[in-house]
Amino acid sequence: MNLISKDEKIEIPEPDFLDNLNNQQKKAIINTEGPLLVLSGAGTGKTKVLTTRLAHIIYSRRANIKDILCVTFTNKAALEMKLRVEKLIKSPVEGMFIGTFHSIGARFLRKHSEYVGLKNNFTILDKDDQLRLIKQICISLDLDTKIDNPKSFSYMIDQMKNHGLSFDHISNHEYEKKTSGKLSKIYKLYQDRLQNYNAVDFGDLIMLPLKILKDNGSILNQYQEKFKYILVDEYQDTNASQYMLLRLLAGSKQNICCVGDEDQSIYGWRGAQLKNILNFENDFKKSIIIRLEQNYRSTGNILLTASSLISENKERIGKKLWTSDPDGEPVVITNLENDEMEAIFVAKVLKELKKNGVSSSQIAILTRASFQFKDIEDRFIRENIKYKVVGGLRFYERSEIKDALAYFRILVNESDNLSLERIINNPRRGVGKVMLQKLYSISNNKGISLLNSLEYINEDNSVTKNAQKNINNLLAILRKHIKLLALEDHSDVAGSLLDDVGYTSMLQNEKTPEAEGKLENLKKLIVDIKNRSSINEFLEEVSLLSDNANDETNSEKVSLMTLHSAKGLEFDYVFLPGWEEGIFPNQRNIDEYGNKGLEEERRLAYVGITRARKLLNISFVNFRKQYNYSLYRSIPSRFISELPKKSCKVEIEKENSEKRYKKLDTFSSDIFKVGDSVFHEEYGKGIILGINGKKLHVKFSDSSDVINIFSDFVKKN
């Protein structure tokens, strides 16, 4: 008989969890006690490590399923992890705290809502509800919502909550100074309304649990004891509030494992703090750092290119990706003449790949910003290349583009009632459904267009003086620009129309990243109008393009997306167009955040490069269309000079663009051409970036701005 003493533990045979794992992955799984940071480079199997570690803890009975907290950044990732763990341990994991920060915060808050004056059936406001409430508050404070835009306040309040700041802790914050003390008032009223409505927003799902845990030691001790192990995915994307919540819950045991990659921290604009991962060793004493560097996704040349680029960043812990697979094809860097040529080139290579049997689903075009989609989308539609915009809408489906097109259609067709209906209250002019019905009634009774019916609005005493004023102003602006269309450049008229009706300023006043993207899209639209002979021609082309775009017969599509949307994805073939200074790295990000902004841009480039498995093409152009002038000389992105010659090859495409594309010579005067060095008595030396008639667009050495100046006032150097 085999006798076992009570003190002796029976070893349970470990399943084949650790099979097919490299040494670093194994270390990350079996080091269960104490704080652990797993620096997981792109394509190194972080999800596999995280799920296997979780399965290992459960199977080895180190903790009950319900005593583990696992935090992800998306519901999809949480579900995937749960299913993987269940497959590994061959048992359901019901009851485990696994989900996003917001879902776990909501679960906690439902249980302890009374500590913050809420009932447990509270409502969670979405972005639209939040904005509507803030609008109401702005109106109650007699603020002009055209100047003090509710969207801007909504964005700032979100940012405050991301940083763990309540309304009584922001007196010295730049936002408070920027809004002349209005933000704290609106923030307080907003929170009061939420309380009255028994409602919370997404920021509160972190802020309120934080408050409960800080104010109630017994509840804090309860959860610190409960969560024997904490696992966090995408740690580099955590904001200040999320970081503070994790620190509290980790308690004295500090059995916390954070998996992330500082080189893929690209969400600073929405509150993510890179320092959370950089300071891990200081924040959690006696911590271990394990680097996952063996990549299972990309070729050697792609990895060498990515590693060389990201090594230029100073704010990183450091790692170097490698693979046991072959080097593969070199990274191709293609120099093209202009942006249309770039789109033609991408389409040509795609067709060659298709001929060679490559599936469209394995091809992606990744850009720094969504406004760069325009030329590529147009080309794809013309050449019947099926594509999908991931994480956003097609160019002509975007609300700001539809609004602008509606304004332009009225210029060429005063009887277009549907277009007028779309824009009559956009920006807001006090025209609701009732007033619109009245206008249609006038239109029908008098047999006139909806536009002409605006003349009669002053005769209706039920319409407020302010609404009458706004409508009269709109009518005057539209008629003015209809007349101007016959006298002035059609693209200038289109651009000034959007300015005069207040559409441009509406977006500018929002002061949000989304609004900035919309403004860039509108600029792209105006540029495209400039390259057509008339607005009529342009609108007809758009209609035909939109008709072709609706053909969904082929489910196989090329993916078109921004670099931010591409994180976490991978493709066999990746194109990275638009690698030029100002576009990528984004100049606005550098201007606002300096070197920190530049390093985040470089991390974004790193993310783009590491999406590719087999083939990567980076492209830049010599001349790009720009708002307010036809062409400007582009400067190759500084990131290109940081790529290693060993893993890259440069190709220069000299093929001519379509005949209808306006050549640079069209915009050159007899004396000056783009690229010339010039001198001005006041501004000094400069370079001509664009020419529009006698107007030069010059970047002077002593100024960060491009200055428009008549050619009569400068001379060649």
Side-chain angles (χ1 to χ4, degrees), residues 361-422:
S361 63
Q362 290 304 318
I363 305 171
I365 295 93
L366 314 179
T367 65
R368 174 59 182 84
S370 59
F371 75 85
Q372 296 172 258
F373 295 169
K374 172 70 173 57
D375 287 325
I376 296 170
E377 285 193 68
D378 285 356
R379 177 54 49 186
F380 282 7
I381 292 168
R382 287 192 179 94
E383 299 199 19
N384 201 31
I385 296 172
K386 305 302 176 186
Y387 72 96
K388 60 181 178 182
V389 176
V390 180
L393 298 169
R394 294 169 181 260
F395 187 83
Y396 293 111
E397 293 171 352
R398 297 185 177 101
S399 61
E400 69 275 14
I401 300 301
K402 286 186 172 183
D403 291 341
L405 292 176
Y407 273 109
F408 302 157
R409 288 190 181 105
I410 296 169
L411 292 184
V412 299
N413 180 11
E414 296 182 38
S415 299
D416 191 338
N417 290 356
L418 287 175
S419 290
L420 183 60
E421 183 180 333
R422 180 179 180 92

Side-chain angles (χ1 to χ4, degrees), residues 49-284:
V49 166
L50 203 57
T51 53
T52 307
R53 178 183 173 91
L54 190 51
H56 172 67
I57 290 170
I58 295 170
Y59 193 85
S60 62
R61 299 181 184 174
R62 285 171 167 83
N64 187 287
I65 289 174
K66 296 180 180 180
D67 296 334
I68 301 172
L69 174 64
C70 186
V71 188
T72 65
F73 266 80
T74 65
N75 291 314
K76 183 183 176 184
L79 179 61
E80 183 186 352
M81 192 172 297
K82 184 180 175 183
L83 293 173
R84 285 198 188 190
V85 172
E86 288 179 342
K87 188 177 179 180
L88 284 171
I89 67 172
K90 298 177 174 61
S91 176
V93 291
E94 298 301 324
M96 186 170 68
F97 276 74
I98 182 169
T100 64
F101 275 102
H102 291 135
S103 67
I104 291 168
R107 185 173 171 181
F108 177 92
L109 201 53
R110 296 270 182 214
K111 190 172 181 179
H112 304 287
S113 55
E114 71 274 12
Y115 288 93
V116 285
L118 294 170
K119 298 174 183 176
N120 64 4
N121 64 341
F122 59 79
T123 301
I124 301 172
L125 269 61
D126 61 18
K127 291 291 183 184
D128 290 339
D129 293 331
Q130 182 186 17
L131 182 59
R132 190 158 54 249
L133 181 54
I134 291 173
K135 279 181 181 176
Q136 291 173 7
I137 292 167
C138 288
I139 292 168
S140 72
L141 293 172
D142 293 325
L143 298 179
D144 186 344
T145 54
K146 291 180 180 178
I147 299 171
D148 295 306
N149 195 294
K151 281 189 179 180
S152 183
F153 286 115
S154 176
Y155 173 75
M156 287 187 280
I157 289 172
D158 280 344
Q159 289 292 77
M160 293 295 97
K161 291 186 177 183
N162 287 340
H163 288 86
L165 298 173
S166 62
F167 54 81
D168 51 357
H169 291 109
I170 62 171
S171 57
N172 295 318
H173 196 277
E174 60 176 305
Y175 287 163
E176 180 73 345
K177 295 174 182 176
K178 196 175 181 179
T179 60
S180 304
K182 295 171 189 171
L183 177 61
S184 57
K185 293 177 185 176
I186 293 171
Y187 192 171
K188 183 180 186 309
L189 286 170
Y190 173 69
Q191 291 302 126
D192 290 344
R193 295 273 182 100
L194 288 179
Q195 190 86 33
N196 293 336
Y197 298 162
N198 193 40
V200 299
D201 62 18
F202 284 102
D204 289 330
L205 294 177
I206 310 297
M207 285 277 287
L208 294 180
L210 260 177
K211 178 175 172 56
I212 293 169
L213 292 170
K214 286 179 178 178
D215 295 347
N216 299 273
S218 60
I219 297 176
L220 176 60
N221 291 334
Q222 176 191 333
Y223 280 91
Q224 287 178 338
E225 287 299 314
K226 176 178 176 56
F227 294 134
K228 293 181 172 56
Y229 295 93
I230 299 173
L231 289 81
V232 187
D233 193 15
E234 303 288 4
Y235 187 62
Q236 78 281 346
D237 294 333
T238 53
N239 60 39
S241 292
Q242 292 162 345
Y243 164 79
M244 286 186 280
L245 186 63
L246 291 171
R247 286 291 307 272
L248 276 177
L249 293 173
S252 58
K253 292 195 298 292
Q254 295 202 337
N255 284 340
I256 182 169
C257 171
C258 296
V259 180
D261 183 3
E262 81 276 27
D263 294 332
Q264 295 188 71
S265 179
I266 58 174
Y267 297 118
W269 51 274
R270 69 182 189 195
Q273 293 191 153
L274 179 62
K275 68 179 184 180
N276 292 351
I277 194 169
L278 296 180
N279 295 340
F280 187 89
E281 280 187 288
N282 295 326
D283 294 336
F284 298 96

